[in-house]
Amino acid sequence: MSSVPERSEIADEYMWDLTDLFADDEEWEEAYEDVEERLADLEAYEGRVTEDAETLEEVLELRESIMREVSNVAAYARMRKDEDTTNQTYQALAARSQSLAADASSVASFIEPELQELDREAIDAFVDENPELETYEHYFDDVLRMKPHTRSAEIEALLADLSEVTGAAGDVYNMLTNADMEFPAVDDPEGEPQRVTLSNFAKLQKHPDREFRQRVYEAFYDEWSEFRNSVGTAYKNSVKADSKLAAARNYETAREAALDGPNVPIEVYDTLVDTVEDNLDVLHRHAELKRDCLGVDDLKMWDLYAPLAGGESPEVDYEQAREYVIEAVAPLGEAYQERMAEGLQSRWVDVYETANKQSGAYSGGTYDSQPYILMNYQDDITSMYTLAHELGHSMHSELTSEEQPYVYSGYEIFVAEVASTVNEALLTQHLLETVDDEAFRRHVLDEYLERFRSTLFRQTMFASFEHRAHELSEDGEALTPDRLDGIYHDLKSQYYDPADVDDRIAREWMRIPHFYRAYYVYQYATGISAANAIVERIDEDGEEAAADYREFLRSGSRGYPLELLKTAGIDMSTPDPVESAIDAYDEMVGEYESLQ
């Protein structure tokens, strides 16, 4: 049986170095206790926020100092837990850090309601009196914008206190799927049992042996069926929490609340779904191409991940992947390229899958630390693209932290997914231009098509699913597992019309962790659309467009998402970027067809 290595078997150079945050758990404890003690200092400002310009600056700076340390405490605990999700010591640290974050948010919750007692003229007078407050101009604008949806200081404190409870469904789901569920082993074509995991399922679905893919597919989704009531209950309560929290802030729906946070108009969401669903014929063309390349009469659900190129992915070890990705970002400028290379040498990345490690991949870290990337690298082309993707996030964070004060150091997911996908597009261009091996090139082109399929079309399908689920719940209808299966099966049948959509695939919604972050997934689809348009600009205008893009990356959250994207020359208020992305996808499908 193939085995997943223990963490102790991995060389240090392939593991992230968390000492940039804390040298050890003892230092973490000291920071935790320091934050706890300092909360009283912040609490002492309640009722005094708008006393005068100097006091306003003091309270904002104190809050930022505390929240920076809370962020460090939470990041360290989370990443230690993610190294081994069964480690109860770090489960406890993560739980304590979540409680600390909730306490800090609760204590600080009086600040914005007090600010909202002022009007724009009064805030401008404070800025004139104390020029240090000019830094907060966009922040003040955002606070005043949210006045209709901000409650009294008492209710804001209560909502902050309840954050752990309202997020409990996602925590339960995460522990169930990463620590408690164990998928079966399936015999490969050589008769060797292969353990199926959340991390390797997609890779196993690319195996050239169709019967093996089918066995993996059936075993995987049959295991989910054993937990359908638990997962269904978790998701039902997550949806209810979304809607209840929205109502508490005077929104009519969870979607309205989720999109108003980053100030993204509802029309952007609807335009995305409508534009994609009006162009499903392009996705159907890709599905028909896959059916023909595989030489099968019916495209089954266990065929969807199988490569057009045939056979397993060419092996790409981690060192080669790093080299390719660094070379690929050359159009973004020498300084960008060198900073990325330095980061990869500085143990930003926790590379390989190990026993009980958190599945998937993400880019983390804090304003005060280096970026950190969790991966489960599988020595294939897909993993190379995932590395490029997460490095896009990390470089976005690096450039923002270097340029912006802490108040703007974060950035909305709506723009975050642009940076990651620009890197993917540049990697595709680089590999197709520089690699001569025809089999490798076919796999790269296939990877590009699969990422477009799974990011633009699949994530839009997910967006449609979660919106329908929320609408039903908000209309008072029960979200049973059967009902959710039915919604998902109908959508899968619509999106993959040329394929044989069986009953097992109706459970796919159960394995999507992003559904526990309300109205999150659509931003992958808008992100790839914007990224495609940015790369087209760089191809046409060279350094001028690259400079605009770097300026966008350095802006952090000092502006609303649609405004920031206009810095890079992209207008997401129109369907143009989505239509352009679909055209690019269609062109690549045609290019692959020409190779047949």
Side-chain angles (χ1 to χ4, degrees), residues 45-251:
Y45 280 93
E46 186 167 2
R48 299 179 52 214
V49 173
T50 60
E51 191 174 89
D52 53 48
E54 183 178 352
T55 301
L56 176 56
E57 181 190 1
E58 288 175 2
V59 71
L60 292 177
E61 288 184 347
L62 178 58
R63 179 181 64 175
E64 289 178 11
S65 175
I66 289 172
M67 291 305 182
R68 282 172 71 166
E69 195 63 23
V70 168
S71 177
N72 293 334
V73 165
Y76 178 88
R78 175 196 177 183
M79 288 188 286
R80 284 297 188 205
K81 176 181 71 69
D82 287 349
E83 292 173 356
D84 179 357
T85 59
T86 66
N87 186 310
Q88 295 191 22
T89 297
Y90 291 121
Q91 287 180 23
L93 261 61
R96 288 172 60 200
S97 69
Q98 287 178 337
S99 295
L100 181 65
D103 290 344
S105 295
S106 177
V107 168
S109 61
F110 66 88
I111 296 174
E112 291 178 2
E114 290 188 32
L115 266 175
Q116 288 166 344
E117 293 174 3
L118 303 178
D119 57 21
R120 184 76 242 187
E121 184 177 353
I123 287 181
D124 288 343
F126 275 170
V127 174
D128 289 341
E129 182 182 342
N130 183 358
E132 294 297 321
L133 291 173
E134 289 180 2
T135 296
Y136 297 94
E137 283 282 12
H138 175 68
Y139 166 75
F140 291 144
D141 184 74
D142 202 31
V143 169
L144 293 180
R145 180 181 69 84
M146 298 300 290
K147 186 173 182 176
H149 304 290
T150 304
R151 306 297 298 274
S152 68
E154 181 181 10
I155 293 178
E156 287 295 330
L158 176 61
L159 290 173
D161 279 340
L162 288 173
S163 61
E164 286 182 274
V165 177
T166 55
D171 291 338
V172 170
Y173 173 84
N174 188 58
M175 291 304 297
L176 174 69
T177 55
N178 284 287
D180 293 341
M181 287 181 70
E182 184 171 331
F183 295 93
V186 176
D187 286 347
D188 66 17
E190 288 73 42
E192 293 294 325
Q194 299 286 333
R195 174 69 62 187
V196 181
T197 69
L198 288 172
S199 294
N200 73 9
F201 171 70
K203 180 179 181 180
L204 295 178
Q205 287 290 275
K206 297 177 182 180
H207 196 281
D209 188 285
R210 195 183 192 209
E211 291 184 0
F212 175 63
R213 294 200 304 269
Q214 180 178 355
R215 291 196 298 272
V216 169
Y217 171 86
E218 292 176 351
F220 183 74
Y221 283 111
D222 286 348
E223 183 69 13
W224 282 105
S225 73
E226 296 297 316
F227 294 88
R228 61 186 282 98
N229 291 316
S230 298
V231 177
T233 300
Y235 186 56
K236 173 191 71 177
N237 284 300
S238 180
V239 170
K240 282 188 174 181
D242 297 337
S243 299
K244 295 293 185 183
L245 288 171
R249 295 195 177 282
N250 300 319
Y251 289 103

Side-chain angles (χ1 to χ4, degrees), residues 408-585:
Y408 303 125
S409 61
Y411 41 83
E412 299 292 347
I413 298 299
F414 192 92
V415 296
E417 293 307 326
V418 175
S420 55
T421 319
V422 162
N423 275 16
E424 292 182 21
L426 291 173
L427 178 60
T428 301
Q429 285 189 349
H430 172 70
L431 294 173
L432 292 178
E433 290 170 0
T434 61
V435 177
D436 294 328
D437 182 271
E438 190 61 34
F440 190 93
R441 290 168 56 81
R442 284 175 179 263
H443 277 277
V444 166
L445 187 54
D446 181 39
E447 182 72 24
Y448 172 89
L449 289 172
E450 281 301 302
R451 285 185 171 265
F452 244 105
R453 177 188 70 81
S454 62
T455 305
L456 182 56
F457 290 92
R458 189 168 185 254
Q459 300 297 333
T460 302
M461 181 183 71
F462 288 168
S464 189
F465 169 80
E466 72 167 329
H467 185 47
R468 293 185 192 188
H470 280 82
E471 283 185 316
L472 287 172
S473 180
E474 288 163 351
D475 287 342
E477 298 194 35
L479 285 186
T480 64
D482 285 346
R483 189 65 181 275
L484 292 165
D485 283 357
I487 297 169
Y488 196 86
H489 190 276
D490 288 348
L491 280 167
K492 199 78 174 184
S493 298
Q494 175 188 0
Y495 274 69
Y496 292 92
D497 181 70
D500 180 11
V501 181
D502 61 53
D503 291 338
R504 283 186 176 89
I505 200 62
R507 304 168 199 155
E508 187 176 36
W509 64 270
M510 297 173 65
R511 76 177 187 93
I512 311 302
H514 286 149
F515 286 153
Y516 293 84
R517 297 182 65 177
Y519 293 95
Y520 177 95
V521 294
Y522 86 97
Q523 297 165 114
Y524 286 107
T526 54
I528 196 172
S529 300
N532 176 77
I534 287 169
V535 173
E536 286 183 352
R537 277 201 71 216
I538 292 173
D539 288 342
E540 293 171 4
D541 299 332
E543 173 55 25
E544 179 183 352
D548 289 342
Y549 174 62
R550 293 193 302 270
E551 180 63 26
F552 157 76
L553 294 179
R554 286 194 292 265
S555 298
S557 59
R558 201 169 199 150
Y560 298 115
L562 267 62
E563 295 174 357
L564 294 173
L565 282 169
K566 287 179 180 177
T567 303
I570 309 303
D571 186 356
M572 289 302 298
S573 67
T574 75
D576 294 348
V578 181
E579 291 173 346
S580 177
I582 293 171
D583 288 343
Y585 172 67

Side-chain angles (χ1 to χ4, degrees), residues 192-467:
E192 293 294 325
Q194 299 286 333
R195 174 69 62 187
V196 181
T197 69
L198 288 172
S199 294
N200 73 9
F201 171 70
K203 180 179 181 180
L204 295 178
Q205 287 290 275
K206 297 177 182 180
H207 196 281
D209 188 285
R210 195 183 192 209
E211 291 184 0
F212 175 63
R213 294 200 304 269
Q214 180 178 355
R215 291 196 298 272
V216 169
Y217 171 86
E218 292 176 351
F220 183 74
Y221 283 111
D222 286 348
E223 183 69 13
W224 282 105
S225 73
E226 296 297 316
F227 294 88
R228 61 186 282 98
N229 291 316
S230 298
V231 177
T233 300
Y235 186 56
K236 173 191 71 177
N237 284 300
S238 180
V239 170
K240 282 188 174 181
D242 297 337
S243 299
K244 295 293 185 183
L245 288 171
R249 295 195 177 282
N250 300 319
Y251 289 103
E252 293 186 5
T253 66
R255 184 174 74 156
E256 184 184 346
L259 271 67
D260 194 41
N263 199 19
V264 174
I266 292 288
E267 292 75 24
V268 171
Y269 196 101
D270 290 334
T271 295
L272 168 71
V273 174
D274 291 345
T275 304
V276 168
E277 294 188 349
D278 285 345
N279 289 276
L280 289 179
D281 58 306
V282 182
L283 177 61
H284 297 166
R285 181 184 178 190
H286 186 189
E288 289 163 354
L289 172 62
K290 179 157 293 192
R291 181 189 61 206
D292 294 343
C293 287
L294 294 177
V296 297
D297 293 331
D298 295 309
L299 189 70
K300 302 290 188 179
M301 291 295 97
W302 52 85
D303 297 324
L304 289 184
Y305 289 92
L308 294 170
E312 293 191 50
S313 166
E315 184 171 309
V316 183
D317 65 31
Y318 179 65
E319 283 72 17
Q320 180 64 76
R322 290 196 308 187
E323 183 179 336
Y324 280 142
V325 174
I326 292 168
E327 292 170 351
V329 300
L332 302 183
E334 187 176 345
Y336 182 103
Q337 189 179 35
E338 289 179 353
R339 186 69 192 92
M340 179 185 287
E342 290 170 4
L344 286 168
Q345 293 294 330
S346 303
R347 294 177 60 186
W348 283 7
V349 187
D350 202 78
V351 180
Y352 296 112
E353 180 180 10
T354 53
N356 302 311
K357 183 178 175 180
Q358 173 69 38
S359 63
Y362 64 73
S363 172
T366 72
Y367 186 72
D368 297 302
S369 78
Q370 66 180 43
Y372 291 103
I373 296 173
L374 178 137
M375 289 197 66
N376 287 273
Y377 197 86
Q378 301 285 329
D379 284 343
D380 58 14
I381 286 178
T382 297
S383 290
M384 173 175 60
Y385 271 83
T386 301
L387 177 64
H389 181 103
E390 300 305 339
L391 281 166
H393 290 310
S394 292
M395 288 300 297
H396 193 175
S397 297
E398 277 288 274
L399 294 178
T400 292
S401 296
E402 290 173 2
E403 183 74 15
Q404 298 297 334
Y406 177 76
V407 65
Y408 303 125
S409 61
Y411 41 83
E412 299 292 347
I413 298 299
F414 192 92
V415 296
E417 293 307 326
V418 175
S420 55
T421 319
V422 162
N423 275 16
E424 292 182 21
L426 291 173
L427 178 60
T428 301
Q429 285 189 349
H430 172 70
L431 294 173
L432 292 178
E433 290 170 0
T434 61
V435 177
D436 294 328
D437 182 271
E438 190 61 34
F440 190 93
R441 290 168 56 81
R442 284 175 179 263
H443 277 277
V444 166
L445 187 54
D446 181 39
E447 182 72 24
Y448 172 89
L449 289 172
E450 281 301 302
R451 285 185 171 265
F452 244 105
R453 177 188 70 81
S454 62
T455 305
L456 182 56
F457 290 92
R458 189 168 185 254
Q459 300 297 333
T460 302
M461 181 183 71
F462 288 168
S464 189
F465 169 80
E466 72 167 329
H467 185 47

